[in-house]
Amino acid sequence: MMNYFPDEVLEHVFDSIASHKDRNSVSLVCKSWYRIERYSRRRVFIGNCYSISPERLIARFPGLKSLTLKGKPHFADFNLVPYDWGGFVYPWIKALAESGIGLEELRLKRMVVSDESLELLSKSFANFKSLVLVSCEGFSADGLAAVAANCRFLRELDLQENEVDDHRGHWLSCFPESCTSLVSLNFACLKGEVNLGALERLVSRSPNLKSLRLNRLVPLDTLQKLLMRAPQLVDLGIGSYVHDPSSEASNKLKHAIQRCKSIVSLSGFLEVAPRCMSAIYPICGNLTTLNLSYAPGLHGNKLTKLIQHCRKLQRLWILDRIGDKGLGVVASTCKELQELRVFPSDPFGAGNDAVTEEGLVLVSAGCPKLNSLLYFCQQMTNAALITVARNCPNFIRFRLCILDPVKPDPVTNQPLDEGFGAIVQSCKRLKRLSLSGLLTDQVFLYIGMYAEQLEMLSIAFAADSDKGMLYVLNGCKKLRKLEIRDCPFGNSALLEDVGKYETMRSLWMSSCEVTLGGCKTVAEKMPSLNVEIINESDQTEFNLDEGQKVDKMYLYRTLVGHRKDAPESVWIL
Amino acid sequence: METRVNYKNELNLMATELRLGLPGSDDKPSIRNNKRNSPDISEDYSSSKSSSSITMPGDDDQDSPPPAKEQVVGWPPIRSYRRNCIQNTKKNKGEGTGMYVKVSMDGAPYLRKIDLRVYKSYPQLLKALETMFKLTIGEYSEREGYNGSDYAPTYEDKDGDWMLVGDVPWEMFVCCCKRLRIMKGSEARGIV
């Protein structure tokens, strides 16, 4: 029957299939579906840039318009990966540029992006529209200047939490007068000044601008002018927010803010005077997303008063200075809350401001729609976790980080096995889980038994033996990413089922008990995996003895064999 | 490098002592964890981007509070970008270095002090100086310094030289400025 439909019809049908997974499935049905799917595919997501080569990507999807690439392993975020490990985007851009592909959108995470690559990008794709860089590094304002100057139809320039080397503000002046297409501009992570006049003119000539996130050095009077020019904004990131509430400037700002009736997402306050927050109240009632996690200046009453105005909040990112009481206010106000992230304001300090299990229990009781959690806290109890599991069975992401990584339940002095066990048993849709606190093999037995949908698991300082890892590998059929640090898992766990790793994106093990010999065995048995050993100590000391414990191992499936760009500290077996 | 001998003689001072030795020069075992023994040594100090430092006293004793915070590499798991922001905030609040410098003005009876970290750019600093001393400094130009006024802001840098404020990038200025002096009159014009 399928043959009776002309290709165009099937293409049209496939167009409505958005999810990558579904499109991948569609391509496996038969040869003609494979063919039609590949020519009509516009968006590709590559979770590990070393799993495939740009040449093969281009060969299969000549109609590619949007590419998402992720580079370094997740633990690179926490300084566990050498800075020169890899993840360079340049070869991708070069290959795409030479292929004639009409790239329009590039989204990168944890990749090394040089100014050279940004310049090549800006000059190679006439229709380029959207650049999103998350947790990347290697570029400076010069690269941004090239993008601004050359991408004539740029709609989106979104920089999230990147380490940018150079902070000259000239890049913003490089947007030509003819550029009027901007929809989204986020430069909150830049530390340097920008040309304020150029910024005002840019915003004035961008009628479609919906999202604007400023950095700390954009002063209040500029903010006011920008808001007057862009009352249609939907998403606003405020840089500096310090003013005297009784001043004329403050009144003007209030007026400007009130005109912005479409703002549903608010973030920033990188510099803030808490007594000025009342100017924001008029728009709080519309907010669905609020990110105050970079505003340590906001806490106590001023913070809770603000939150009390945000009844429609669905996503809240906050610092632990909010305290358990403040979370109680969240619980009683934000009934629509789906995602909560509580970050540590003083990760290495005394922890007076921190939250405990009490805050989490309050939120779970007040916010039944909660499905995504990242919670840094001083302590956690089994009883609390069991209560949370009962109150919120809908968790898709549950990431708990107790600041002392091996802390037991302070009330019972027991490990937190039962608490996390309750979470995985109750939350049948759980896809991502991060554990912390004192944990034995038992919690992994529970995870293997109940976490049927689990795709990503992060483990640190846990377990008693190889059994822990085995429970997980045997039980979690949908596991894609497993990252482990400082656990007593050794070769027997690693080698039990090497075929499993081919069904996963990657496995990270650091400071565990696996040896060089064990890693070599995996590499020998599974040619479809790259097994990388990262060794940052003095090279001459590195012992080639098979019994030597491996400090960091990162293995991942790949279709293209060993990569050629590894530094000296990385050894691919 | 400190030697072991010093520590024997200093009772309990090590718990509270701030040291500048390389991470890992301490011979203490790893963080409290009854499962793991190998210390998580700092590979990171060889990494140019790293800002996490490692000291590893064991803190098994419950009697005294832990020393100035032990840190385990990569824990708690927060992105380095966020980590750097926290550390910068602390600096700005004066919990870290703080940057108070003396400001003298020719002819004024006493000196003042300002915190350079409060300002983010030259215009902000100059405005503050103008307010503080009730004068006008004028606009900076690379060629002519501060024309349009009898005053020129100068600073003493790390080498002991007196420099005109405004020539070097702001961040560099904040790091090397030891004190400020607002020059007046013929001396000011002479500096250009």
Side-chain angles (χ1 to χ4, degrees):
Chain A
M1 178 162 66
M2 295 174 285
N3 295 334
Y4 297 153
F5 287 119
D7 288 359
E8 296 78 40
V9 172
L10 279 175
E11 221 178 276
H12 192 66
V13 171
F14 293 169
D15 269 351
S16 60
I17 300 172
S19 127
H20 292 289
K21 276 199 190 129
D22 289 342
R23 285 201 72 117
N24 291 345
S25 306
V26 155
S27 68
L28 293 174
V29 166
C30 64
K31 274 199 184 132
S32 75
W33 279 37
Y34 176 87
R35 180 178 43 84
I36 296 167
E37 199 282 321
R38 68 179 263 254
Y39 281 110
S40 64
R41 178 91 81 130
R42 300 284 167 260
R43 323 180 68 90
V44 173
F45 168 87
I46 296 177
N48 173 6
C49 64
Y50 291 117
S51 61
I52 189 74
S53 70
E55 290 72 29
R56 285 181 67 160
L57 170 75
I58 293 163
R60 180 167 169 192
F61 300 115
L64 184 67
K65 295 252 175 288
S66 162
L67 177 62
T68 303
L69 277 173
K70 293 189 179 181
K72 299 184 189 186
H74 177 225
F75 277 1
D77 275 346
F78 320 131
N79 291 344
L80 288 178
V81 173
Y83 75 98
D84 55 354
W85 174 87
F88 306 103
V89 77
Y90 184 79
W92 291 86
I93 297 181
K94 182 159 181 285
L96 287 163
E98 286 166 4
S99 71
I101 287 216
L103 192 70
E104 294 184 7
E105 183 178 293
L106 187 62
R107 311 165 80 90
L108 305 176
K109 187 169 185 181
R110 279 190 293 272
M111 293 203 70
V112 178
V113 181
S114 62
D115 283 342
E116 201 189 354
S117 22
L118 288 178
E119 196 170 328
L120 182 59
L121 173 77
S122 73
K123 293 183 171 158
S124 309
F125 307 107
N127 241 0
F128 192 77
K129 297 199 170 71
S130 168
L131 180 64
V132 180
L133 302 178
V134 179
S135 208
C136 295
E137 60 185 355
F139 62 102
S140 76
D142 290 343
L144 298 177
V147 172
N150 301 324
C151 300
R152 298 169 53 214
F153 304 112
L154 195 69
R155 285 200 204 146
E156 182 176 18
L157 180 60
D158 185 358
L159 308 171
Q160 298 176 31
E161 301 192 335
N162 303 289
E163 299 282 359
V164 186
D165 293 331
D166 175 309
H167 304 303
R168 297 186 296 143
H170 69 297
W171 63 276
L172 204 108
S173 317
C174 294
F175 281 105
E177 288 302 312
S178 55
C179 174
T180 58
S181 47
L182 269 185
V183 173
S184 167
L185 179 63
N186 172 8
F187 62 95
C189 66
L190 296 189
K191 301 280 194 297
E193 286 191 344
V194 291
N195 184 318
L196 299 176
L199 176 60
E200 288 172 38
R201 288 189 296 278
L202 179 62
V203 169
S204 297
R205 63 176 188 275
S206 303
N208 298 324
L209 193 69
K210 292 282 188 291
S211 168
L212 179 64
R213 297 193 186 187
L214 310 168
N215 76 352
R216 181 187 260 265
L217 295 186
V218 177
L220 199 89
D221 55 334
T222 306
L223 171 66
Q224 185 262 338
K225 287 184 199 157
L226 295 173
L227 291 179
M228 289 303 284
R229 286 167 168 76
Q232 77 281 4
L233 282 179
V234 168
D235 168 33
L236 174 65
I238 290 180
S240 171
Y241 193 72
V242 178
H243 51 101
D244 178 356
S246 58
S247 67
E248 179 57 30
S250 185
N251 276 333
K252 282 172 85 173
L253 180 70
K254 263 191 214 168
H255 171 66
I257 290 177
Q258 277 173 338
R259 288 177 74 232
C260 299
K261 301 200 186 303
S262 305
I263 293 182
V264 295
S265 166
L266 190 60
S267 61
F269 298 96
L270 309 175
E271 202 171 65
V272 60
R275 58 213 161 104
C276 312
M277 295 312 285
S278 53
I280 303 286
Y281 292 167
I283 57 167
C284 286
N286 295 331
L287 292 181
T288 55
T289 300
L290 180 61
N291 181 356
L292 298 175
S293 66
Y294 284 102
L298 270 182
H299 52 95
N301 285 338
K302 298 287 184 282
L303 176 56
T304 46
K305 259 195 111 174
L306 178 71
I307 293 189
Q308 277 168 331
H309 284 81
C310 303
R311 305 206 144 263
K312 285 198 191 158
L313 222 50
Q314 294 174 17
R315 185 190 297 177
L316 176 64
W317 291 23
I318 196 99
L319 289 171
D320 61 1
R321 303 198 73 177
I322 191 174
D324 289 330
K325 275 220 194 109
L327 287 177
V329 173
V330 173
S332 48
T333 311
C334 309
K335 297 303 182 186
E336 301 297 313
L337 197 68
Q338 295 178 27
E339 175 177 328
L340 175 67
R341 295 197 189 191
V342 181
F343 293 94
S345 54
D346 193 9
F348 313 111
N352 293 324
D353 292 317
V355 295
T356 70
E357 76 278 8
E358 291 180 18
L360 183 59
V361 168
L362 288 172
V363 175
S364 73
C367 308
K369 295 189 182 177
L370 197 64
N371 61 40
S372 176
L373 181 76
L374 173 61
Y375 197 73
F376 286 81
C377 57
Q378 276 299 311
Q379 61 184 47
M380 185 53 57
T381 64
N382 283 312
L385 283 174
I386 291 168
T387 305
V388 169
R390 197 176 49 234
N391 290 341
C392 293
N394 296 319
F395 275 115
I396 299 173
R397 281 177 291 278
F398 191 88
R399 299 156 70 188
L400 189 73
C401 177
I402 302 171
L403 292 170
D404 177 349
V406 289
K407 194 166 180 162
D409 179 329
V411 172
T412 63
N413 233 26
Q414 292 297 303
L416 291 176
D417 301 334
E418 297 306 309
F420 280 107
I423 294 287
V424 293
Q425 194 176 0
S426 164
C427 303
K428 309 224 186 300
R429 280 182 275 175
L430 195 68
K431 285 191 179 171
R432 182 169 180 183
L433 178 64
S434 299
L435 308 169
S436 61
L438 186 65
L439 296 163
T440 72
D441 287 343
Q442 184 71 8
V443 71
F444 299 104
L445 174 67
Y446 293 142
I447 292 173
M449 251 182 3
Y450 296 115
E452 291 174 8
Q453 301 300 319
L454 197 66
E455 296 181 8
M456 182 170 178
L457 179 62
S458 309
I459 311 172
F461 305 102
D464 308 306
S465 74
D466 283 335
K467 282 203 257 170
M469 186 166 166
L470 289 171
Y471 290 143
V472 170
L473 290 176
N474 290 335
C476 299
K477 302 292 178 210
K478 296 204 176 172
L479 197 63
R480 292 190 301 117
K481 288 181 281 181
L482 180 58
E483 45 187 27
I484 304 170
R485 63 165 292 180
D486 294 88
C487 295
F489 302 143
N491 291 342
S492 352
L494 179 68
L495 296 173
E496 169 85 1
D497 177 12
V498 293
K500 169 93 176 166
Y501 306 132
E502 214 175 25
T503 70
M504 293 166 53
R505 184 188 296 174
S506 64
L507 167 67
W508 168 283
M509 293 180 75
S510 60
S511 303
C512 296
E513 305 283 324
V514 295
T515 69
L516 183 57
C519 297
K520 276 188 175 172
T521 308
V522 177
E524 275 158 32
K525 288 190 174 175
M526 301 292 299
S528 57
L529 301 177
N530 277 352
V531 181
E532 298 191 3
I533 308 293
I534 299 171
N535 174 41
E536 287 172 278
S537 63
D538 190 354
Q539 293 302 322
T540 57
E541 281 174 26
F542 187 63
N543 194 341
L544 296 182
D545 168 25
E546 306 268 301
Q548 163 100 354
K549 275 194 208 157
V550 159
D551 200 32
K552 294 171 185 167
M553 178 203 73
Y554 178 56
L555 64 80
Y556 51 90
R557 68 179 175 194
T558 177
L559 294 174
V560 289
H562 288 187
R563 59 186 176 111
K564 308 285 186 296
D565 61 1
E568 271 199 24
S569 55
V570 174
W571 183 17
I572 308 180
L573 298 178
Chain B
M1 290 280 273
E2 300 120 338
T3 62
R4 300 282 153 79
V5 162
N6 289 338
Y7 298 143
K8 270 197 204 155
N9 297 333
E10 297 181 59
L11 327 111
N12 269 343
L13 282 182
M14 208 162 82
T16 52
E17 190 181 329
L18 287 177
R19 289 165 307 170
L20 295 178
L22 284 176
S25 58
D26 196 354
D27 68 340
K28 295 289 189 152
S30 67
I31 61 133
R32 170 190 46 199
N33 183 329
N34 43 8
K35 289 153 198 104
R36 300 282 311 146
N37 265 330
S38 51
D40 222 342
I41 302 279
S42 55
E43 294 97 14
D44 287 72
Y45 66 81
S46 59
S47 155
S48 59
K49 287 276 177 200
S50 168
S51 58
S52 65
S53 65
I54 300 85
T55 61
M56 294 166 297
D59 58 341
D60 311 285
D61 65 314
Q62 305 292 336
D63 299 325
S64 54
K69 202 67 179 182
E70 318 99 63
Q71 297 173 27
V72 176
V73 179
W75 195 270
I78 53 176
R79 270 192 191 153
S80 14
Y81 174 82
R82 187 177 284 279
R83 195 182 288 254
N84 292 341
C85 283
I86 293 175
Q87 282 168 347
N88 285 339
T89 313
K90 280 198 170 169
K91 263 194 223 157
N92 290 340
K93 273 183 5 185
E95 282 177 42
T97 40
M99 279 260 23
Y100 278 92
V101 296
K102 290 182 187 170
V103 188
S104 63
M105 182 170 104
D106 296 351
Y110 48 79
L111 279 63
R112 304 293 303 269
K113 252 197 171 167
I114 57 168
D115 181 1
L116 287 182
R117 291 240 185 257
V118 164
Y119 310 105
K120 302 289 183 305
S121 65
Y122 283 120
Q124 285 183 11
L125 169 66
L126 295 176
K127 212 171 182 188
L129 291 176
E130 287 179 330
T131 314
M132 192 181 255
F133 291 96
K134 313 228 180 326
L135 44 76
T136 325
I137 291 177
E139 278 236 291
Y140 167 80
S141 81
E142 206 173 77
R143 247 169 33 95
E144 304 188 311
Y146 292 88
N147 261 355
S149 139
D150 275 352
Y151 298 95
T154 65
Y155 68 100
E156 185 183 11
D157 73 0
K158 287 201 164 121
D159 297 329
D161 297 319
W162 284 94
M163 318 285 297
L164 186 67
V165 168
D167 285 342
V168 302
W170 172 256
E171 274 79 16
M172 195 186 288
F173 165 75
V174 169
C175 292
C176 60
C177 170
K178 281 173 46 194
R179 55 185 298 169
L180 285 160
R181 176 185 163 201
I182 301 181
M183 276 187 188
K184 173 177 158 166
S186 51
E187 255 194 301
R189 283 186 283 277
I191 205 170
V192 174

